[in-house]
Structure formats: C-alpha cells, structure tokens
C-alpha cells in the first residue's frame, strides 16, 4: 500500500485527542458533600457496567473516526507497473511486432489470422495521437525490420503494412521483443511501448527465462501482447515423412512413414493420407482410423522408386484451417547402385572364414548371379590398401566402409578414413581377435574417431551375454519391439569388448554451417546387452557417422551373423545412416541450403524452381573456395520442393525440400495471465540494484471509500452518543 | 411580596430569624386573611373585651352597635388549635447547593436546615399571630428538644432562639423521633414535619401514621435541595456522604437518569403515603423562596377550607 499524501499521516497524532479527553475527564475530580447518597449508590451500582461499555464503544468509534479520516487524507493507493489497458491516449514511441509465422496463416473462412493482425495494427495506428513514433518489424523465428527505428511518419508505416506477407517460418518472438526494446532504449520524452500482434501460440512464448530477463532489463518499456484470432483452434498436421528400413534403391519398393498429429481437443477419425512421387497423382494412400487429441499417429505407405536420382515425395492430408501443414515434402536420393567397402585382413582365408563374409552376404542378400544388379555392391579390400581405395574416385562416394577384425591401422589409413567420414561417409567397425586395445588406443587419431573406448575383451564361455530385446528406442532396433518381427534376445555374445561411451567428442573439420546438419553430437547407443551396457554405439563425425560394434562380424565371438535379424539389422543400419545424409536434403524455412558440387560446376549459372512457381528463376553462380565447390541458396521461405538447375541445360544439379517446423502446427495458445506474469516486474529488486524503476501507475485509490466510512461512523457515533446521553439525561 | 433575605448567618440568630419570618409573613399579609389553619369547627363561646392586637375579624360588631363597646368573640375551640412544628436537624439537612433564589449577594449555599428553620419560623409566626398555639420539636436521631405549646406571642423569641441554635447530629432516625413527638404532643392538633425524609422510609411512614392515628392533622414539608432534585453535575465528582464516611467517585452524567428515576420514585412514595394518611405533602425546593413555598401552601389550605 502506498500513500499519495503521506505527510497527512502525521494527523494520526490526533488519535490521542479522544483518548486524552477521556482520561482528562477522569483526572479532574471535583468534590462535594452529598446527602442523597443512597439514591446515587443504587443508580451507580445498577448501571456501572453498561455505562462503561458505552464509554469504551464511543471512545473506539471516535478513535476510528480520527484514524480513518487521517488515512483518507493521506490518500492510500495501490500502485503497480503499468500493464495492458492502462496505456495513455497520448503520443508514444512504439515498436510494432507483427507475427508473420506460419501459424498466422490459419483461415477462419473470411480471412487469415495474419490479415486480422494487419487490420489490428492499422486500427492501433489510427488511435495513436499526434507526435507518436512507431517502428514496424515482422517477427517469426527471425525479425525482419520494415521500419527499424520509431519514426513519426505513420502514413509510411500504413503503406508498408499493405505489402507485408505471411511466411512459413516457425515462431520465436523473444529476439524480436529484445530487438524492439533495444531500439527504444535511446528514445526519450515519450512513453515507450512494444506491441506484439500475434496469435499467442504457446511455443512462441516458451523461453520464459529470456522473456523475464528482457522485462527486467527494460523495465521502463511496456510490452503489450495482443492476441489475434480465436483461442487454441483445432488443427491436424503432417509432422513427419521419413523413409523406414533400408536404403532407398531404384526399382525397389520403399517404405515411407507419414506421421500425422491431432492438435485439437477432440479425436479425429478417418484421416486420409496420400503419397505422391514427383508431383504425380498419388502413388499410395492410407487411412488413419483415429488420432486421439494431442497425439500423433504414423502410417506406413509403400512406394515403388522407379529410377535412381533425386525424387520428391509429398504426403498430403485433407484441408483444414491451416493449410501449410497439410502437406509435407521429402526429397530422397535414390541409389542406382552404391558401394560398400569391406576391409578385412586375411583375403586368402576360405570364404566362410573371412571376416567380411557374413557382412557381404547380409549387405547383398541376393544370389550371386543377381548380385551385379543389386543396388548395393560389396568390395573387399585390405587395411593396407584402404587409403588408396578411399582416394580412388570410384570409392570416394562409397555408402559405407566396414572394418571387420582389423588390427592396428596405418596413419594414412586413419587419415583416409577421417577424410571419408568428414565428407559424409559411414564407417562401421567390428573389432575382433586381431584388435589390440593398446594398439588402437596408442593411435590417437584413430582412437578419437571411435564413439566409445574399448576395454580388454571379456570372455563368457558358459554364460554368454544376450542383447536387450524389449524397450528398444533407437530407430534401427525399434522394429523388434513388435514380437511379430522376432526377438533380439537370442543374440548372444561369449566374447566382446566392453564399451565406454564418449560424451564429448573432439571438434572435427568441416563442421557444417547449415543448420540441417548437426555436428559433434554425443555418442548414442544403438543396441545394449541385457545388463544395460552398450553393445553397438554410433556418433556423427563431420558429415559422416562412425558405428562401433563390441564384437566380431563373424560367429567367432557371437551368433549375430547367424541370427535372422542380422540382415535386416544391417539394412536398417544402412538406411539409418543414409537418412542422416538425406537430412541434408531438408531445411527449415529461411535456412540456407548448401550443396557440394564437383569442381567442373564452378562458375556455372544456376536457376531454381521454387514451390508453386511456373518457371525457374536465376540465383547466381556456383561458387568455390578452399573448402570446395558448392552452391548456396538462401531464399527458402516457402515450404515445398526446390529444384536447382543449370541455367543453360536445365540439368538438375540438386533438389531439396523446405519443411515447416512441426511445432508450428500446434496452435495451443498461451494464457494472457502467464505472459503478463512474465512481463511484469517486481520493482523492489530493481530499486535495490539501482536500475531504473518501472513507471508506477496508481492502480486504485481508497480515499473515497474511507471517507464514506468516516461519514458512516460519524453518523453512528452521533446516534449512539445521542442515545446514550438521552438515557443519562434527566 | 417583598424579597426575603435568607442570610445564612441570620438564621443562626433568633432575633434575626424572627425578623425574617415576620417580614416574610407580613409580606404575604397572612394576617389579613382568615386563619389558614382552621381544620376544626369553631363555635361561639363567649365575649371578652377587645385588647389591642386582637384580630379584628373576631370583633362582635353587633355588640359594638348596641353598646358602643369593643368585644371579641371567643370560640369554643379557639384556644385548642396547636400546631406542632417538627424540624429535622439530621446531617443530611445540612446539605445546600446554591444561594436562595432572588438573592444578589448570598455567599453561602442555603442548606435545607436553614430553609426549614425559616419556614418553621414563618409558620410559628403565622400561628401565633392568629392566637393559636405553637409547639416546637427539634429532632434528629431522637427528639432533641421539645418546647411546649404556647399561644403567647411573647414566647416566639424563645422558640426562635432554640430554633436558631439547633444544629442537629449526623444520624437520622426520624421515625423514632416522631414517635416521641407523638407522645409529647398530647391532644390533637396539626403536626407539621419539615424534613428531607432521608431515612428509613418505612419507619418514617410509621411515624406519620402514628401521628395521624392519634388524630393529628399531618403536614409533611419535604425539604429538598434543587441539586437533589435535578442532579445537574457534569464531569467527574467525588460525593461525600454527610451522614457516614462513604465516598463515591463517578461521572454523574452517566447515571443522572437512573438517579432521578430513583429519587422521583422516593418522593412519589412519600407523597402516596401522605395521601393515604390524608396528610398534606408539600415539596419544598430550597431554590424557591420561602414566601413562595409558604404562600403556596397556605393558599392551598384556604382553598381546601372553602370546599
């Protein structure tokens, strides 16, 4: 509680007056002889307690009167930081943040949320008084300044509003709010405000700590969100399209999974999902029976991949209020035929005794006469020639390199492997009898590539250790959660190298600048033993991956190669690694796409066919620097497939898809109270720290009800005093 | 009516008291009226020769016309009227709150006893002036002094001296005193009691009853101070009882209504008791002049006599 006229509180000293009067009457005693004592004594005896009570009551009322009157004149008031709705009508210096993220595209039948927001900004501008200065930014997950600093030219602002457009980006308002506050920092002489016109999507306000910090850093700037559109409308969206199983290969059926989410309060039924290859008529369709509110459901569709090369696959569901998430495009690189290199020490051994035998049969699970036509080809090499083979142009693009039971590697081999992985290759390591932990460990460069440290091998002759068969979570092994697919529990290891996961890998060269490639991730476990210890681990290195097994790829130490799961396990592993590469063919809206090309393309003019465009547009030349020849394209605002073509021959250089952030499909609105709680600041800590105090406004004054109370008490006191005195009067 | 001088100092001297009483009575011209104390039938008994000072009302004009001589009629009961004046001198009668009404330079409060003495002196003067007999009883806790009846005006100074010198004592036992008066009074007459009645009510009433049953006409002058009647005190007071050592400190305003109710009921009870005994009850507010009180009562008696 504050007092607007605290000096008046000195009047509380007047409380002593009725008390003193009361006491003085008792102190000034006069004496008199009296004859009619018995009559007086009787009267006093009968009425003493009643009279005392009346006296006390009157004293209390009189004291309360004085106290309340003093308090009223001191003007008690509740103060607090100014909030929305308390804006004055006068000129302001303001920054308008207009949310143009994908969620603002939801349509209510007459206009989109974004159009409503524009109208709301127009209306707000109309209400601004003469002398206001306003800036305008579009905000999504980035801030686009249309008018960077507050300007008095509101007509110009209105003109800019006509030209703003919706984006397919996700929403993150924190940076926009921070930039807006910083642009207002230097403005003086006017109240400073940031107005955010947004649909209130909860994900946009998730960074609570950052928002609180902004509010505390700029306490003098009022941040006023305005919600546009209805609260938390229903939405069904495609949130993922992915390849399941092995590598997508030409003339092979590819299994694709489409995941659909229900962001509404009611279940949705009979969701029809269709899949189209290369913008043709739907190649596959399925119906999801029911999706519970707040949950997602995946459906698998099979598509026949006709030929090798880049293909776009678009999944589509029925229309709703937010159309942008009702379809999602995936670009896949279908292999015609690709290589895997199997590195083994002893080529001279009989076929079945060779370290790469079982791997080769699992990777090319077809009869020998058909092997040449299989999309995957296995080439056996030795560690001694590994460096040369990887340098060979034919093998530079090998899908994977398998090291099976190799001993110490030469420096050149390790260096070649490092380059190979950095460039995006996948390395799978199966240690065995020839593996000496000390030798590997002594080779620092090699040891650092591995996602786990090996300990000396453990021999379990009588009680082999099995694999975990339930609660599998890795994309490679999740298939075996379904009992119909068999069980991994029969896979037993009687000898293996215990693995200790590495948590912080070293940084490698060639860390990707594009956001769609993550680098330096911690090691992940693909498979575990039943005792929980890791058996197969992986991590990403550069653009590639390294997978480390704890035992041999032969039945020498375990029965994995003999188990029916070995072939699908390897196929799925290959597919998983390939999808990591395939992830480079998908970017989020606004993220640049970088495509590495051969040197011969350097300097060539390139065009791009954007989603929904009728014809391609030129985007410049293929560049080259010390890292290589590459194409970089940044105008990825719209979701959908992008084709990169040579300007002259219209030859396809590359293809990628821009995919909306699936979180943008959840239209759940954050509560206004939650946002206000973040943005309102307790002034006391700020005052202690010496920072500028928040402008305080009077929320409520209490002098009026206090005076009414005084008047009421005055009447009561008068009535009671009259009544009591009448009772006493002769 | 002339203004009385109710000088408290004068009351203590019989001569001054007599002077005062005479002034009051003559101012009222009581002597010019028929005797107010006439409660009994009077029949002609005989003549006697006129002496200066005799009431001219009793002059036999027929004899004067026949004989040219002045003779006074004497009635059978003429010398039988005795007025017993009973004055209460208890400590409570010493209370006085304010100077008498109409007094310019009174310095001391007029006590009830003071007032009663003047009133008694006036009554004695009236009675003796009409050649009736007066007896004086000075009482407090008992019959302190009794002056036998006399119809001789020459005895008035003695009465007044005794009256003036009477100071009374602390306690009141008026009931017992009235019993003693009844015993001393002898044949019936008029008993005038001047008291504040601050005593055992039952005993007081019994005393009055006894007098009434003995054939006396009882007149009760209830002498009260205006402060006792109005209780006008404000602020905080310590009241000290005149008849005991009791003290009471209080804020009188808080209890005024209750006190007045109590006191009024007391007065009413005495009035009712007097009415029951066919006695006259006269409330005497000492703030009113004695003449006013006296004339008021005598007029009442006159009016009752006519009925």
């Amino acid at each position: 509680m504050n007092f607007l006229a605290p000096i008046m509180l000195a009047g509380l000293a007047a409380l002593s007056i009725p008390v003193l009067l009361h006491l003085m009457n008792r102190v000034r005693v006069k004496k008199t002889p009296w004859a009619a004592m018995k009559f007086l004594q009787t009267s006093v005896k009968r009425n003493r307690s009643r009279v005392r009570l009346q006296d006390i009551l009157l004293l209390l009322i009189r004291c309360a009167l004085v106290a309340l009157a003093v308090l009223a004149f001191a003007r008690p008031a509740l103060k607090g930081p100014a909030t929305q709705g308390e804006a004055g009508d006068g000129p302001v210096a303001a920054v308008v943040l207009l949310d143009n993220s994908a969620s603002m595209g939801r349509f209510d039948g007459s206009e989109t949320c974004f159009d409503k927001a524009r109208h709301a900004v127009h209306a707000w501008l109309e209400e601004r008084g003469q002398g206001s200065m306003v800036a305008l930014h579009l905000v999504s997950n980035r801030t686009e300044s249309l008018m960077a600093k507050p300007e008095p030219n509101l007509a110009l602002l209105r003109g800019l509003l006509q030209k703003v457009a919706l984006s397919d980006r996700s929403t993150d308002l924190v940076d926009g709010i921070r930039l807006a506050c910083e642009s207002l920092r230097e403005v003086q002489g006017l109240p400073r405000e940031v107005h955010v016109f947004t649909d209130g999507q909860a994900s946009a306000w998730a960074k609570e700590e950052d928002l609180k910090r902004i509010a505390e850093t700029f306490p003098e700037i009022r941040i006023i969100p305005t919600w546009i559109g209805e609260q938390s409308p229903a939405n069904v969206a495609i949130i993922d399209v992915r390849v399941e199983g092995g590598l997508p290969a030409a003339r092979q059926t590819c299994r694709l999974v489409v995941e659909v989410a229900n962001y509404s309060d009611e279940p949705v039924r009979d969701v029809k999902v269709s899949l189209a290859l290369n913008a043709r008529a739907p190649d596959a369709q399925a119906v999801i029976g029911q999706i519970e509110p707040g949950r997602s459901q995946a459906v698998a569709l099979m598509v026949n991949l006709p030929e090798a090369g880049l293909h776009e696959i678009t999944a589509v569901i029925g229309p709703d209020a937010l159309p942008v998430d009702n379809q999602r495009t995936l670009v896949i690189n279908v292999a015609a035929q690709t290589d895997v290199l199997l590195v083994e020490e002893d080529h001279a051994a009989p076929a079945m005794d060779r370290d790469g035998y079982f791997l080769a049969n699992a990777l090319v699970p077809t009869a020998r006469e058909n092997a040449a036509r299989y999309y995957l080809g296995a080439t056996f090499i030795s560690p001694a020639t590994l460096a040369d083979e990887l340098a060979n142009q034919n093998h530079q693009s090998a899908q994977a390199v398998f090291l099976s039971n190799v001993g110490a590697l030469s420096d050149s081999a390790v260096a070649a492997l490092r380059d190979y992985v950095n460039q995006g290759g996948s390395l799978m390591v199966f240690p065995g009898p020839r593996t000496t932990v000390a030798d590997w460990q002594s080779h620092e460069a090699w040891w650092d590539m591995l996602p786990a440290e090996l300990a000396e091998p453990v021999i379990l002759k009588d009680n082999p250790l099995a694999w975990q068969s339930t609660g599998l979570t890795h994309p490679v092994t999740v298939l075996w959660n379904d009992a119909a697919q068999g069980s991994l529990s029969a896979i037993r290891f009687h000898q293996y190298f215990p693995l200790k996961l590495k948590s912080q890998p070293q940084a490698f060269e060639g860390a990707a600048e594009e956001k769609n490639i993550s680098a330096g991730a911690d090691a992940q476990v693909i498979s575990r033993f039943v005792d929980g210890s890791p058996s197969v681990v992986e991590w990403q290195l550069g653009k590639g991956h390294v997978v480390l097994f704890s035992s041999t790829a032969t039945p020498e130490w375990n029965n994995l190669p003999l188990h029916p799961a070995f072939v699908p396990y390897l196929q799925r592993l290959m597919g998983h690694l390939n999808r990591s590469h395939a992830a480079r063919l998908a970017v989020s809206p606004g993220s640049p796409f970088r495509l590495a090309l051969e040197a011969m393309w350097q300097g060539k003019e390139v065009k791009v066919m954007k989603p929904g465009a009728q014809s391609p547009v030129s985007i410049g030349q293929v560049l080259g620097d010390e890292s290589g020849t590459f194409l970089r394209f940044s105008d990825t605002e719209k979701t959908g497939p992008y084709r990169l073509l040579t300007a002259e021959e219209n030859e396809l250089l590359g293809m990628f898809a821009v995919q909306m952030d699936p979180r943008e499909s959840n239209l759940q609105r954050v509560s206004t109270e939650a946002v206000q709680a973040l943005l309102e600041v307790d002034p006391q800590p700020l005052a202690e720290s010496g920072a500028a105090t928040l402008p305080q406004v009077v929320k409520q004054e209490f002098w009026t009800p206090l005076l009414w109370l005084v008047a009421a008490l005055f009447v009561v006191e008068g009535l009671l005093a009259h009544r009591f005195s009448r009772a006493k009067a002769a | 009516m002339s203004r009385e001088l109710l000088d408290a100092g004068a009351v203590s001297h019989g001569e001054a008291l007599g002077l005062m009483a005479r002034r009051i009575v003559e101012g009222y011209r009581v002597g010019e009226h028929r005797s107010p104390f006439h409660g009994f039938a009077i029949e002609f008994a005989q003549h006697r020769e006129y002496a200066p000072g005799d009431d001219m009302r009793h002059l036999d004009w027929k004899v004067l016309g026949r004989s040219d001589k002045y003779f006074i009629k004497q009635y059978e009961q003429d010398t039988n009227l005795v007025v017993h004046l009973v004055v209460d001198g208890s400590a409570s009668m010493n209370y006085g709150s304010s100077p008498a009404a109409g007094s310019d330079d009174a310095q001391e409060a007029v006590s009830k006893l003071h007032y009663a003495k003047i009133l008694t002196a006036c009554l004695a003067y009236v009675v003796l002036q009409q050649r009736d007999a007066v007896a004086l009883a000075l009482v407090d806790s008992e019959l302190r002094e009794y002056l036998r009846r006399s119809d001789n005006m020459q005895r008035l100074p003695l009465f007044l001296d005794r009256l003036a010198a009477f100071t009374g004592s602390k306690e009141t036992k008026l009931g017992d005193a009235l019993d003693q008066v009844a015993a001393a009074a002898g044949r019936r007459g008029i008993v005038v009691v001047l008291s504040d009645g601050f005593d055992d009510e039952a005993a007081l009433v019994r005393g009055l009853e006894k007098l009434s049953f003995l054939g006396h006409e009882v007149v009760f002058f209830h002498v009260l101070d205006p402060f006792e009647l109005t209780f006008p005190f404000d602020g905080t007071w310590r009241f000290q009882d005149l008849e005991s050592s009791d003290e009471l400190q209080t804020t009188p305003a808080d209890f005024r209504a209750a006190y007045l109710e109590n006191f009024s009921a007391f007065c009413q009870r005495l009035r009712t008791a007097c009415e029951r005994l066919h006695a006259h009850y006269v409330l005497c507010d000492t703030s009113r002049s004695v003449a006013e009180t006296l004339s008021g009562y005598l007029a009442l008696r006159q009016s009752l006599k006519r009925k």
Side-chain angles (χ1 to χ4, degrees), chain A residues 521-542:
Chain A
D522 290 348
Q524 305 290 324
V525 176
I526 299 176
S527 292
R528 292 181 186 272
F529 292 116
V530 289
D531 64 358
S533 59
S535 177
V536 184
V537 300
E538 60 145 345
W539 71 4
Q540 184 177 338
L541 234 53

Side-chain angles (χ1 to χ4, degrees), chain A residues 258-269:
Chain A
V258 179
E259 190 169 354
V260 180
N262 175 15
Y263 297 115
S264 64
D265 296 331
E266 301 290 330
V268 290
R269 295 181 176 84

Side-chain angles (χ1 to χ4, degrees), chain A residues 95 147 151 185 193 270 332 364 401 413 435 486 490 604 643 725:
Chain A
V95 175
M147 190 178 281
E151 300 284 346
R185 191 200 290 265
E193 300 173 353
D270 300 328
I332 57 174
V364 188
V401 173
T435 303
K604 293 275 186 183
R643 288 170 176 267
S725 66

Side-chain angles (χ1 to χ4, degrees), chain B residues 40-302:
Chain B
F40 308 101
I42 296 175
E43 295 179 359
F44 175 76
Q46 61 186 11
H47 287 104
R48 70 170 172 83
E49 198 169 345
Y50 171 78
D54 286 340
D55 190 349
M56 293 299 287
R57 287 179 296 174
H58 300 302
L59 192 68
D60 193 342
W61 296 101
K62 290 179 182 174
V63 171
L64 179 62
R66 284 198 307 265
S67 64
D68 220 12
K69 290 183 180 175
Y70 294 91
F71 284 94
I72 297 292
K73 289 181 184 176
Q74 284 188 316
Y75 298 92
E76 188 178 28
Q77 298 288 342
D78 195 24
T79 58
N80 288 338
L81 178 64
V82 179
V83 177
H84 302 271
L85 298 171
V86 181
V87 180
D88 177 10
S90 60
S92 62
M93 289 292 286
N94 284 322
Y95 178 73
S97 63
S98 62
S103 168
D104 288 334
D105 57 353
Q107 296 299 314
E108 293 180 27
V110 174
S111 70
K112 289 182 286 187
L113 182 60
H114 180 175
Y115 194 92
K117 286 180 181 178
I118 298 173
L119 190 54
T120 302
C122 293
L123 287 167
Y125 193 85
V126 167
V127 171
L128 286 173
Q129 206 177 33
Q130 66 182 38
R131 302 259 187 237
D132 286 317
V134 167
L136 180 65
L138 303 173
V139 303
D140 45 44
S141 58
E142 59 183 4
L143 177 59
R144 213 32 90 187
E145 192 170 352
Y146 183 74
L147 298 173
R148 290 180 62 78
R149 69 180 186 278
S150 170
D151 60 1
N152 192 345
M153 187 66 86
Q154 306 303 320
R155 276 179 64 85
L156 182 59
L158 175 63
F159 281 178
L160 296 180
D161 281 341
R162 303 313 306 152
L163 184 63
F166 177 52
T167 54
S169 71
K170 272 197 171 293
E171 289 183 352
T172 305
K173 285 184 185 174
L174 201 51
D176 294 344
L178 288 179
D179 287 343
Q180 293 170 5
V181 168
R187 66 182 175 147
R188 62 180 181 167
I190 297 175
V191 178
V192 179
V193 179
L194 299 97
S195 170
D196 56 13
F198 290 169
D199 189 16
D200 182 352
E201 276 182 51
L204 171 60
V205 171
R206 277 199 303 274
L208 294 176
E209 276 178 356
K210 191 167 183 181
L211 288 168
S212 179
F213 291 154
L214 288 174
H216 297 288
E217 179 187 342
V218 177
V219 181
F220 186 77
F221 281 91
H222 197 183
V223 182
L224 295 169
D225 188 272
F227 276 17
E228 291 167 344
L229 288 167
T230 60
F231 203 59
F233 301 95
D234 277 322
T236 306
W237 287 82
R238 181 174 292 141
F239 296 91
Q240 295 162 325
D241 191 8
L242 285 170
E243 295 195 1
S244 68
S245 58
D246 290 347
E247 287 191 354
L248 176 66
Q249 182 171 319
T250 185
T251 46
D254 293 338
F255 306 99
R256 181 175 299 122
Y259 166 84
L260 292 176
E261 187 183 340
N262 254 346
F263 198 80
S264 168
F266 158 70
C267 295
Q268 185 59 40
R269 287 194 298 272
L270 284 183
R271 183 192 296 273
T272 304
C274 288
E275 285 172 1
R276 182 167 53 82
L277 300 172
H278 301 289
H280 287 168
Y281 173 89
V282 184
L283 184 68
C284 302
D285 183 345
T286 59
S287 64
R288 295 173 64 195
S289 67
V290 174
E292 194 178 334
T293 302
L294 182 64
S295 64
Y297 176 64
L298 295 179
L300 173 66
R301 282 195 74 91
Q302 293 285 14

Side-chain angles (χ1 to χ4, degrees), chain A residues 350-394:
Chain A
M352 286 189 65
D353 294 334
R354 288 169 68 176
D355 292 318
Y357 172 78
F358 289 92
L359 282 171
N361 282 280
L363 291 167
V364 188
T366 184
R368 190 172 302 194
E369 54 271 22
N370 297 326
R373 291 196 296 275
Y374 196 68
Y375 74 95
L376 205 60
T379 305
F380 289 89
I381 60 175
S382 70
T385 61
L386 177 57
D388 295 332
E389 294 292 347
L390 286 177
N392 187 331
Q393 236 176 358
N394 291 335

